Amino acid sequence: MNRRGEISVTFMSGPLDGKTLTFNQPELGEQKIITIGRRDTCDIHLGFDNQVSRLHARLGCVSNPVTETDSSLPALLSFWLEDSNSRNGSFVEKDPDPLMERINLRPGILFRIGRTWLRLDVPLSFG
């Protein structure tokens, strides 16, 4: 049985501190985009944070084959984060400067949207 793994993001501050949201990993060769913001329709809804824009940022996950010849092997996941022209910016770890362009993220990294800290968790299973 080839069960796709999950992507998870954990709240590291605020009223949802400790809560983890999970999303399905994208199919091999595909990309999944997770929206973050104050809008109800965002995948990660931060309606409690008045420093967050309606559509504040996007977190992406790309699933690539480990080798070009064998797609039966687990996928190699890569992640990125980009600000969606928010008013207050998006921040990664201790960098005081807001994101100006899409950046690659590694699992375990902390990032801040408005006043809310989030962590991209290490995927538990691949493929």
Side-chain angles (χ1 to χ4, degrees):
M1 178 173 144
N2 187 10
R3 191 176 79 77
R4 266 202 335 232
E6 295 178 334
I7 302 163
S8 63
V9 175
T10 299
F11 288 87
M12 301 303 287
S13 69
L16 300 176
D17 187 15
K19 179 178 180 171
T20 299
L21 301 175
T22 58
F23 307 92
N24 287 331
Q25 290 178 7
E27 296 288 341
L28 193 62
E30 299 290 321
Q31 174 174 245
K32 174 156 190 82
I33 297 175
I34 299 167
T35 57
I36 306 169
R38 211 175 62 241
R39 188 177 291 150
D40 292 0
T41 57
C42 286
D43 300 310
I44 299 176
H45 180 237
L46 301 175
F48 56 84
D49 189 335
N50 65 6
Q51 297 294 309
V52 173
S53 297
R54 286 186 292 271
L55 178 57
H56 196 103
R58 298 180 335 140
L59 173 64
C61 176
V62 181
S63 175
N64 295 306
V66 174
T67 66
E68 290 185 28
T69 56
D70 190 354
S71 62
S72 67
L73 290 173
L76 178 64
L77 299 178
S78 60
F79 299 91
W80 54 263
L81 179 69
E82 69 181 5
D83 188 81
S84 296
N85 296 318
S86 68
R87 184 178 322 162
N88 294 311
S90 301
F91 300 84
V92 175
E93 300 246 294
K94 295 177 183 177
D95 190 341
D97 299 321
L99 297 181
M100 300 306 288
E101 59 188 23
R102 180 183 288 188
I103 65 155
N104 291 324
L105 287 186
R106 69 184 188 292
I109 200 164
L110 296 176
F111 59 97
R112 183 169 58 88
I113 306 296
R115 292 187 178 124
T116 305
W117 283 97
L118 301 160
R119 181 185 66 212
L120 174 63
D121 296 322
V122 176
L124 295 177
S125 60
F126 297 90

